[in-house]
Amino acid sequence: FVSSYLKNLATKLIMSRLLKVVKQSVRTAPTNIETLSTIRQFSQSKSDFSLPDLPYDYAALEPVLPARIMELHHSKHHATYVNNLNATLQKRQDALQKGDIAAVIGFDGAIKFNGGGHVNHSIFWTNLAPPNNGGGGSPSGALLNAINDKFGSLEKFQESFNGKTAGVQGSGWGWLVYCPQDKTIKIQTMPNQDPIGSLGVVPLLGIDVWEHAYYLKYENRRPDYLKDIWQVVNWKNVEQRYADACK
Amino acid sequence: MSNRFKLPALPFDKNALEKGGISSETIDYHYGKHHAGYVRKLNAADADGKVPQNASIEQLVLTANGKIFNLAAQIYNHTFYWESMAPKSKGCRGNVCKALENEFGSCQEFVAQFKARAGGHFGSGWVWLSLNKQRKLVITDGHDAFNPMRDGLIPILTIDIWEHAYYVDQRNNRGAYINNFISLINWERVEQRYNDAVNRLKSNL
């Protein structure tokens, strides 16, 4: 625990220093040689993405999501995406320095998969909250208006979302997204760990339908999992994401 | 109601693979709910008139698309998967063993490559050993209901790497499941399938 805290602190220090350098270089002279070489030096250091802490205990989402699912999901599945992302980025960096472009391109799949897994799960944990403390109920304000406009009602939205998400073949996610091009919200599913941001939309709410997300409690009954998950959806978080996207 | 498609019997008792790391509980879910569920859903689609008449499961795998392909292929794949395992594996043998040595250098090297494909596959899917039209043994993998017959290959061995295949027994540890599977491979059946495949290709010349 201490070593991961120190590692996180070190990463934060490096990143804040890097950010300062970048901001400085943009404010003053972007072609300042000393500044550019400093940036290059930082970007060559080991990429260090880290597993975010959950905003609640493993047991906090019971009875909907039992602790044994949450612990595996966070400390094993998500952690593995983070570790594999870091390892792949390091290998990619090594290949890039050797000028081995074929090898660099060869890492694209692993970066998309593990990086997507990291991004998706990081959003997911914030989209959920304990049933007695922020989870469930109904959205309000601008997001509720948008849902009613687009789908007719919250219930109709959930029915449509669940139908599409239950229909994902194999592993994937169901998403509520904001589409900046037509300024509307949409339901969109994605396969595997493909990051939905790559479609040019803003993710608001994601529900993981990989079997590991529900199997230990729901077995193959994905529709039952989708019926229950709404009891722990953190609408305040989704509203905030919507407000930020609309700016 | 239709019962045109049948759930094939398991080629072993549901606790036969326990010593090899696949529990009867997994079989209850995997065979009794997943595999049986695909059969039930294909029959329901048939009752709705959505399945071409007079087509066998194998023909549907080769020619159907979308939901019907998915259901038929998952039925076919799971049947093939059960037949790929046996409680007492007798090890790689016969003509297929020689062919694997020719193709991969050794049976161990084949196993290493097969394990790497199964471990490295992102998401749900299947990994297959098949014979191609040039009579070479090839390892292919694909997502979800992937079946190599669509690519003109003759399959002889498969492993299911959907999470439901291993989550009850191994949780997220796909590697441990793959190792167990390797020890359970029904090499007699693989040899039979290999010889049949070679004969089929010879008779097509």
Side-chain angles (χ1 to χ4, degrees), chain A residues 77 169 171 211-212 215 219, chain B residues 29 34 70 124 163-164 167:
Chain A
H77 290 274
Q169 296 299 337
S171 307
E211 286 171 325
H212 64 241
Y215 210 80
E219 302 147 9
Chain B
Y29 291 129
H34 289 272
N70 200 66
S124 312
E163 286 179 322
H164 65 241
Y167 217 77

Side-chain angles (χ1 to χ4, degrees), chain A residues 74-114:
Chain A
H74 177 254
S75 72
K76 298 272 191 267
H77 290 274
H78 188 174
T80 300
Y81 291 128
V82 172
N83 295 338
N84 288 349
L85 174 64
N86 287 336
T88 308
L89 286 170
Q90 183 59 59
K91 284 189 231 169
R92 184 185 186 278
Q93 184 60 31
D94 295 343
L96 191 60
Q97 282 182 318
K98 291 191 188 111
D100 186 350
I101 298 301
V104 168
I105 294 169
F107 293 119
D108 281 354
I111 291 171
K112 178 175 161 186
F113 180 68
N114 291 294

Side-chain angles (χ1 to χ4, degrees), chain B residues 133 135 152 154 196-205:
Chain B
K133 292 203 167 90
R135 273 195 245 163
I154 305 176
D196 288 346
V198 169
N199 290 336
R200 233 172 87 187
L201 288 173
K202 279 189 187 151
S203 67
N204 284 345
L205 284 169

